[in-house]
Amino acid sequence: MFSFSIIIPTLNRTEYLLNTLQDLVGQNYSPGFEILVIDQSEKPDKEVQVFADKNTVVKYHFITEFRGLPEARNYGAQLAKYPYLLYVDDDISCKDNLLQEHANILEKETVGVCAGGITEAYKTNK
């Protein structure tokens, strides 16, 4: 089975991030996963820290040494405990089968990378 490290770079987006984290901690997935929040805001996010303290699968990292999406993703990859990395934005909404759906795709021998589609909440996809 596949264990995942979910990496979420963020910058001053508490409300969105908390909604995303709420969806992710509810994953119905038993092989194991962790959620790494890489926060590049001006100051530590107390609300996210409290959420992480209550949900041990969430690891909160406040970083001031750099700023940028690629840097935050790379930093998260260095911290990852599991071999399969899932990068998500800080404002996603997902069902409780997100990790299982990714695992189902990765079970195919020829797959090296998988990605999901994006549906914007207030726009129709064309």
Side-chain angles (χ1 to χ4, degrees):
M1 274 319 224
F2 305 94
S3 296
F4 290 92
S5 291
I6 304 169
I7 300 169
I8 310 173
T10 192
L11 176 67
N12 300 321
R13 308 231 325 152
T14 304
E15 182 181 343
Y16 295 108
L17 178 59
L18 288 172
N19 288 334
T20 296
L21 290 173
Q22 191 64 48
D23 282 355
L24 290 172
V25 298
Q27 290 297 298
N28 186 15
Y29 192 74
S30 61
F33 67 96
E34 65 177 346
I35 302 167
L36 303 170
V37 175
I38 313 302
D39 187 359
Q40 302 176 83
S41 303
E42 289 80 31
K43 57 186 178 182
D45 191 319
K46 300 293 183 198
E47 290 181 68
V48 175
Q49 285 178 323
V50 167
F51 187 92
D53 290 344
K54 292 179 181 176
N55 296 277
T56 57
V57 70
V58 179
K59 312 294 189 253
Y60 177 76
H61 300 275
F62 175 69
I63 303 302
T64 58
E65 295 82 37
F66 58 80
R67 182 165 288 166
L69 184 59
E71 292 88 348
R73 287 179 175 163
N74 288 338
Y75 185 79
Q78 292 171 3
L79 297 172
K81 172 167 86 171
Y82 296 116
Y84 292 91
L85 307 180
L86 178 60
Y87 295 103
V88 299
D89 292 336
D90 60 5
D91 61 353
I92 71 158
S93 177
C94 63
K95 296 180 182 173
D96 66 355
N97 65 343
L98 176 73
L99 293 178
Q100 186 59 59
E101 291 293 320
H102 278 77
N104 291 347
I105 296 298
L106 289 170
E107 284 179 345
K108 299 179 183 205
E109 210 172 290
T110 59
V111 174
V113 175
C114 67
I118 297 173
T119 302
E120 294 188 48
Y122 304 104
K123 295 182 182 179
T124 57
N125 287 332
K126 296 182 182 186

